[in-house]
Amino acid sequence: MNRDRTIKAFEKNVLSKNYEFLHYKKFDYSILKNIYHLFRPGRGRKESLNNVIIMADTETSKKTPDVPIVKNGKHTWETGENHIVAWTISIRAYHHNICTLYGRKPSSMAKCMLKIHESMSGQNTVFYFHNLAYDHFFMRKFWYQLYGRPMHQLNTKSHYPIFVEFGNGIIIKDSLILAQRKLEKWAEDLAVPHQKAVGKWDYDLIRNQNTPLSPAELEYIEHDTLAGVECLDATIEALKKNIMTIPYTATGIPRDETVKRGKKQAHDDLMKVAFSYDEYLISNAVYHGGFTHGDRHFVDMLITKETFGDYIKCYDFASSYPYTMLAFKFPKEKYTLLGNYSSDFILDKKEEYAFMFKFIAIGIRLKTDAQPMPALQYSKCTKVINPILDNGRIIACEYCEIYLNEWDLAVIEDQYTWTKHLCKDVYFSKKDYLPRWFTDYVYECFVEKCKLKGQDPVLYSIAKAKVNSLYGMCCQRNLRNEIIEDYQTGEYLEEEPSDPKAEYEKYINRSRHVLPYQWGVTVTSIAFYNLHQLVKCCIHPLYCDTDSCYGAGWDLEAVSSYNKSCTEKLIANNYQPVEVNGKTFGIGVAEHEGDKDTYSEFKYMGAKRYCGRCIKDNAIHITVAGVPKISGAECLEDDINNFHPGFIFSGTRTGKKTHLYFNKEEIYIDKDGNETGDSISLIPCDYELDSVYVVSNWEELIEEEVDIQYYDEY
C-alpha cells in the first residue's frame, strides 16, 4: 500500500472518529495499522519509523506519609519508597488526537506500549516522556523485564537519560530537554488546545494502584500527555520537521541548520584550523564560564537610595553572546607555537592576532582595594601559592599560573599589578570575522526573534531557543566522559575514554562537526571583557552576572558611548540594529528597562544570591540558585532584612524538592498489592542562605615569605 492510500485509509478509519479517553484494555488497537511509516537508511539496512506522535507519563504516590524530623539541627523529612498509581499514553497523528489511554500498574504500561508498537507496521516507535529521568527510574525494571536491556542509551548526566532504544523497536525520548521548560509553560507558550490541569492532583494524598480516581484526577492525568502531544506536534510543524528528523535537544535545532548552511566546506575549513589533541587540552584550560560576582565591600549590607544618593539600577546586554559572534574577530588560522613573551607584546597585537598561553605571575595583587570585581579565577589556576580570595576570585597571591587568552589578559592587566610575570608557550592565530554563512544565520535568528515577539507564540519560543543555543553549539566539549547506567543497580557510572586522543580525532573528523571549539572559548572571553567595560560605566558597581551589572551612580554618557561602539562594531561587519514596527532592537548594547530594572533596596550574599525591592511593583525579587523566585521571595515576608546568612528558605513553602533514590534488587508486590520496582522520593528541600568570606586588610595577609619557583626566562 503506497503512502497516499495509507493516509486515506487512516483518515477513513481514524480521523472520522472522535477522540477518546479510555482504559487501555478498551481501545481498538487495530485502527493504528494504517499509520504510515517513514524510512531512513541506517545500520546497513533501511529502517522505518512510525509516523505518530506519542507522549507517555506516570503519576506516583508515597507508600506512607513523609515524617518531619530534625537532623543535625536542620529540618528534613523521613521518607520511604513510592510506586506508580496511574499512567497515560496519548497518541496523535496527522494533527489529530486519536486517544489517551490510561492504566494503573507499571507492568500494564510496558505491555500497552508494546501493544501500540506492534499494532503499527514500522520497525520503530518513539514514545516521549516529559522529564524522562523521573518516569524512567520507576519504569526501568518493568521495561527490562518485558523488552530486555536497552541496546543503546544516551545519558547527559547521572540519572538523566534522554534517549533509550530497545531491541524490539521501542525508542524512548525526553521532551523536556527539547522544550527547555516545564510542560505547563510549554503548553502555555505554544497556546495548544489542551493545557495542563494544574491543581487537580493532590501529591500528598496516599494512593494505591486500586484507589478509585476522581473525575478531576482523571482530567489531570489525561491533560498531561494530551498537552504533550499537541506541544510536540506544534514544535515539529513549526520547524518543518517530522518525528524522524526532530532533534533530541533544543540545541539540535540550530545545529542541523548550521550543518546544512555550512555544507562540506565548513567541515573542510574546520579541519584546517582544528586543534591538535594537546592544543585542545590547553584551550579547555583557557575556557571559563560567565563572570558572577558581588563587591566584597558591601556583602550582607542593606543598600538603599540613601547609601549612594541614587537608586540601584541594572543594565544588561542584549544578546551578549550572539553580539560577540557578529561584531568581533576570531582566530582564523591554525594556532602556531610562538614562544615566551611579555603581556605588553600580546596586548599590543590583540586586535590582529588571537593568543592562548600560560600566564605566570609573582607577587600579583589588585592595583587598588577599591576594585570591586577581581577577575583572576582561583579555580582555573593550575598552581597558586598563598592566595587571598574573594568568593573564588584572587585578590592577591605570591605566585600563580593560569591559562589565558588575549581578552582575559586585557582585563587582568587592567586590574592587577605584579612583581614579575611571563606569558609562557604563547600560541597565536591571525584574526578575522567568523564566516559569513554562520554570522548571517546568527543575525537572522536574532531578527526572527525580534519580529516574532508578541506574535506567533510557537515560532517565537523556537526562535528564542535558537538564539540562546548558538553559543552553546560553539563551546560544546569535543571530549566527554560517558555516563553509563548499571542496569542491575540503577546507579550511573562515569567512564573516561580509554584512548582520549583517538576519541578526540574521531570527533573532529565527523562531517557534522563544523564549528571550531576555539570560537566558543573566544565568545566567553570577549563577553567577559565587555562586561568589565560596562562595570567601568558605574561609580558603585555592586553585583555582576555574566551579561548584567547592578549598581548605583551610572555614568549615562559612558553607557551611551559604549552602546555607540557596539553599533559601530556591528556596522563594520555590515550588520545593522534591527528595526521592527518602528522599534529598534540593538544587539550587544547595555539596556535598562526603567522602573522594572530599578531598586529602592538591594542586598546580596555572593554569586547567585541577591535580592532587591523593585520600584515598579514595590515587591522584593530574588535570585538564589536552587530557590524558586516567586515562592522564595514570599518567604522573606516583604522584609529585605530577612535576607541574611542563616535564613532558611523552607522547602515546604518554596516547593523546592530533593531526590532520594530507592534501588531495589527486583520487582515486588507490597502489602497493599502495589507493583513496585525502583523509585524516587521527592521531599521538601530547605535552603540555608550563607555569605561569602569577606576579606579585610588583605595587604597585611601577604607578608609571609614562601619558596617560589623561578624560570630562566624572567
Side-chain angles (χ1 to χ4, degrees):
M1 185 180 290
N2 63 31
R3 181 177 183 275
D4 291 338
R5 290 174 61 192
T6 301
I7 294 175
K8 286 181 179 179
F10 181 79
E11 289 175 343
K12 179 180 179 180
N13 294 324
V14 181
L15 301 190
S16 60
K17 296 182 180 180
N18 293 327
Y19 158 83
E20 293 182 292
F21 174 58
L22 71 169
H23 192 272
Y24 76 100
K25 289 184 177 180
K26 297 180 180 180
F27 180 60
D28 180 8
Y29 292 86
S30 67
I31 67 175
L32 300 177
K33 67 181 180 181
N34 291 316
I35 287 180
Y36 185 73
H37 51 260
L38 306 171
F39 286 103
R40 70 177 171 192
R43 300 175 189 172
R45 66 183 189 276
K46 208 172 186 180
E47 289 187 328
S48 59
L49 181 70
N50 290 309
N51 189 22
V52 61
I53 298 173
I54 304 175
M55 178 74 80
D57 186 39
T58 64
E59 297 299 340
T60 61
S61 173
K62 297 179 183 297
K63 292 184 180 296
T64 57
D66 292 337
V67 178
I69 60 173
V70 177
K71 188 175 182 180
N72 297 326
K74 295 184 179 180
H75 291 86
T76 184
W77 298 80
E78 186 177 88
T79 188
E81 300 165 37
N82 289 8
H83 52 254
I84 290 173
V85 294
W87 56 264
T88 53
I89 300 174
S90 291
I91 305 175
R92 182 178 173 91
Y94 310 112
H95 315 302
H96 177 80
N97 291 331
I98 300 171
C99 65
T100 296
L101 309 179
Y102 74 90
R104 306 300 301 273
K105 296 179 180 291
S107 63
S108 64
M109 183 182 209
K111 292 174 184 176
C112 182
M113 291 171 65
L114 186 59
K115 180 71 172 177
I116 291 170
H117 169 61
E118 291 178 340
S119 299
M120 296 180 284
S121 58
Q123 292 172 308
N124 298 303
T125 305
V126 173
F127 292 80
Y128 276 95
F129 285 78
H130 205 70
N131 191 15
L132 173 60
Y134 186 79
D135 304 273
H136 173 268
F137 203 71
F138 281 89
M139 286 296 303
R140 57 187 297 277
K141 277 188 167 56
F142 298 94
W143 285 332
Y144 302 162
Q145 184 182 68
L146 188 60
Y147 308 160
R149 298 281 173 81
M151 58 185 290
H152 177 59
Q153 182 168 331
L154 177 62
N155 308 301
T156 57
K157 57 185 177 181
S158 178
H159 293 99
Y160 205 110
I162 64 169
F163 176 93
V164 183
E165 181 179 6
F166 293 96
N168 62 6
I170 288 179
I171 298 172
I172 300 170
K173 291 185 179 182
D174 178 44
S175 56
L176 177 60
I177 200 167
L178 173 65
Q180 295 291 305
R181 70 204 90 173
K182 293 181 179 179
L183 179 61
E184 179 184 355
K185 187 71 167 63
W186 197 20
E188 180 183 322
D189 288 347
L190 302 191
V192 295
H194 293 89
Q195 299 288 308
K196 186 175 173 67
V198 178
K200 294 192 175 183
W201 185 275
D202 183 356
Y203 281 95
D204 294 325
L205 185 65
I206 303 300
R207 299 179 180 86
N208 296 311
Q209 290 165 357
N210 59 2
T211 302
L213 298 178
S214 70
E217 290 170 327
L218 289 170
E219 180 186 353
Y220 181 89
I221 64 174
E222 176 191 13
H223 279 226
D224 263 9
T225 50
L226 196 53
V229 292
E230 291 172 350
C231 287
L232 281 167
D233 196 10
T235 302
I236 290 170
E237 185 73 7
L239 292 172
K240 296 181 174 57
K241 300 285 187 180
N242 58 46
I243 195 66
M244 181 175 283
T245 58
I246 189 72
Y248 293 166
T249 70
T251 305
I253 298 169
R255 179 175 285 112
D256 287 348
E257 184 65 21
T258 57
V259 173
K260 177 182 174 182
R261 292 186 178 222
K263 302 178 182 177
K264 183 178 181 299
Q265 186 60 46
H267 180 69
D268 291 344
D269 290 344
L270 178 143
M271 295 306 295
K272 294 175 184 177
V273 303
F275 287 129
S276 68
Y277 175 67
D278 290 337
E279 291 168 349
Y280 170 71
L281 295 180
I282 294 173
S283 70
N284 262 346
V286 173
Y287 175 81
H288 56 80
F291 181 86
T292 305
H293 200 78
D295 184 350
R296 63 191 176 279
H297 302 96
F298 297 96
V299 171
D300 193 22
M301 288 180 57
L302 178 59
I303 304 164
T304 67
K305 181 182 178 182
E306 288 69 32
T307 306
F308 301 112
D310 191 11
Y311 287 115
I312 297 87
K313 299 177 181 179
C314 175
Y315 278 81
D316 63 348
F317 293 133
S319 297
S320 173
Y321 288 166
Y323 163 69
T324 67
M325 292 187 278
L326 293 173
F328 286 80
K329 295 183 178 181
F330 287 70
K332 176 187 179 183
E333 302 171 337
K334 193 172 182 64
Y335 276 84
T336 302
L337 181 60
L338 189 61
N340 303 329
Y341 288 87
S342 70
S343 62
D344 290 342
F345 172 84
I346 291 172
L347 295 177
D348 286 345
K349 299 182 182 300
K350 79 178 185 69
E351 297 302 323
E352 186 177 0
Y353 294 97
F355 298 91
M356 63 178 186
F357 49 91
K358 179 185 281 188
F359 176 72
I360 302 170
I362 294 175
I364 186 170
R365 64 176 70 186
L366 289 173
K367 291 178 179 178
T368 170
D369 182 55
Q371 171 56 248
M373 305 292 170
L376 194 55
Q377 190 171 348
Y378 173 73
S379 64
K380 297 295 292 185
C381 291
T382 57
K383 186 174 182 180
V384 186
I385 297 176
N386 276 9
I388 299 172
L389 302 181
D390 169 21
N391 196 25
R393 301 285 166 172
I394 295 176
I395 293 176
C397 66
E398 288 293 348
Y399 177 90
C400 74
E401 297 178 2
I402 187 171
Y403 284 95
L404 305 174
N405 61 22
E406 71 278 12
W407 295 104
D408 304 326
L409 179 63
V411 177
I412 289 170
E413 193 274 340
D414 185 48
Q415 292 187 356
Y416 291 84
T417 184
W418 45 75
T419 303
K420 290 185 178 182
H421 84 285
L422 177 70
C423 297
K424 184 176 175 60
D425 296 334
V426 176
Y427 287 80
F428 80 100
S429 169
K430 191 170 179 61
K431 284 183 178 180
D432 202 350
Y433 290 117
L434 295 180
R436 208 71 188 178
W437 65 263
F438 180 67
T439 56
D440 281 351
Y441 179 55
V442 173
Y443 186 72
E444 287 171 21
C445 287
F446 181 81
V447 172
E448 182 183 22
K449 186 189 81 166
C450 295
K451 288 182 177 180
L452 290 170
K453 190 171 185 179
Q455 304 299 317
D456 188 307
V458 178
L459 294 176
Y460 176 73
S461 67
I462 293 171
K464 187 175 180 181
K466 285 196 293 186
V467 171
N468 293 339
S469 298
L470 293 170
Y471 158 71
M473 294 190 303
C474 295
C475 68
Q476 181 174 338
R477 294 286 177 92
N478 297 167
L479 267 184
R480 288 185 175 183
N481 293 341
E482 188 174 3
I483 310 298
I484 300 174
E485 178 185 352
D486 184 322
Y487 295 122
Q488 186 64 39
T489 67
E491 297 177 347
Y492 285 75
L493 309 173
E494 187 169 346
E495 288 190 0
E496 296 181 356
S498 57
D499 187 345
K501 184 175 181 179
E503 285 297 315
Y504 171 74
E505 291 174 352
K506 180 181 176 181
Y507 179 88
I508 64 173
N509 277 287
R510 292 175 185 164
S511 60
R512 286 180 58 82
H513 185 198
V514 298
L515 303 177
Y517 182 58
Q518 51 263 48
W519 292 2
V521 175
T522 305
V523 165
T524 308
S525 291
I526 295 173
F528 170 77
Y529 175 86
N530 289 341
L531 179 63
H532 283 277
Q533 307 319 300
L534 178 63
V535 169
K536 292 180 181 180
C537 298
C538 187
I539 298 174
H540 304 290
L542 298 170
Y543 183 84
C544 291
D545 192 348
T546 306
D547 62 354
S548 63
C549 178
Y550 293 80
W554 284 92
D555 184 338
L556 299 185
E557 289 187 7
V559 174
S560 178
S561 177
Y562 175 84
N563 288 344
K564 182 180 178 182
S565 72
C566 290
T567 303
E568 289 172 349
K569 286 183 175 68
L570 282 169
I571 293 174
N573 196 22
N574 297 311
Y575 291 108
Q576 299 285 339
V578 179
E579 296 279 348
V580 179
N581 297 326
K583 183 177 180 180
T584 301
F585 294 87
I587 311 176
V589 297
E591 299 177 324
H592 172 65
E593 296 189 50
D595 289 352
K596 182 180 177 181
D597 274 343
T598 304
Y599 302 85
S600 58
E601 298 177 315
F602 192 78
K603 200 173 184 184
Y604 59 91
M605 298 298 123
K608 300 294 184 182
R609 287 165 289 176
Y610 63 94
C611 71
R613 185 180 297 279
C614 181
I615 67 172
K616 181 176 181 178
D617 56 11
N618 197 36
I620 296 175
H621 298 254
I622 74 164
T623 294
V624 177
V627 177
K629 289 181 179 290
I630 296 176
S631 56
E634 292 172 350
C635 291
L636 297 176
E637 302 289 352
D638 200 38
D639 186 352
I640 202 168
N641 288 305
N642 286 330
F643 194 81
H644 59 74
F647 179 81
I648 303 291
F649 289 96
S650 169
T652 56
R653 187 165 180 182
T654 64
K656 179 68 176 178
K657 295 182 182 296
T658 189
H659 294 64
L660 294 178
Y661 294 90
F662 294 88
N663 300 314
K664 310 304 294 183
E665 291 186 4
E666 57 186 21
I667 294 170
Y668 70 96
I669 308 297
D670 69 16
K671 62 181 180 61
D672 295 309
N674 298 300
E675 288 182 350
T676 311
D678 299 326
S679 68
I680 304 171
S681 185
L682 299 176
I683 60 173
C685 177
D686 291 352
Y687 178 95
E688 182 176 351
L689 191 63
D690 63 352
S691 178
V692 301
Y693 173 65
V694 181
V695 176
S696 60
N697 298 322
W698 58 270
E699 291 179 334
E700 297 177 4
L701 300 179
I702 61 175
E703 295 177 354
E704 180 182 353
E705 293 186 2
V706 295
D707 292 329
I708 300 174
Q709 179 181 1
Y710 284 87
Y711 287 79
D712 293 339
E713 292 88 351
Y714 283 121

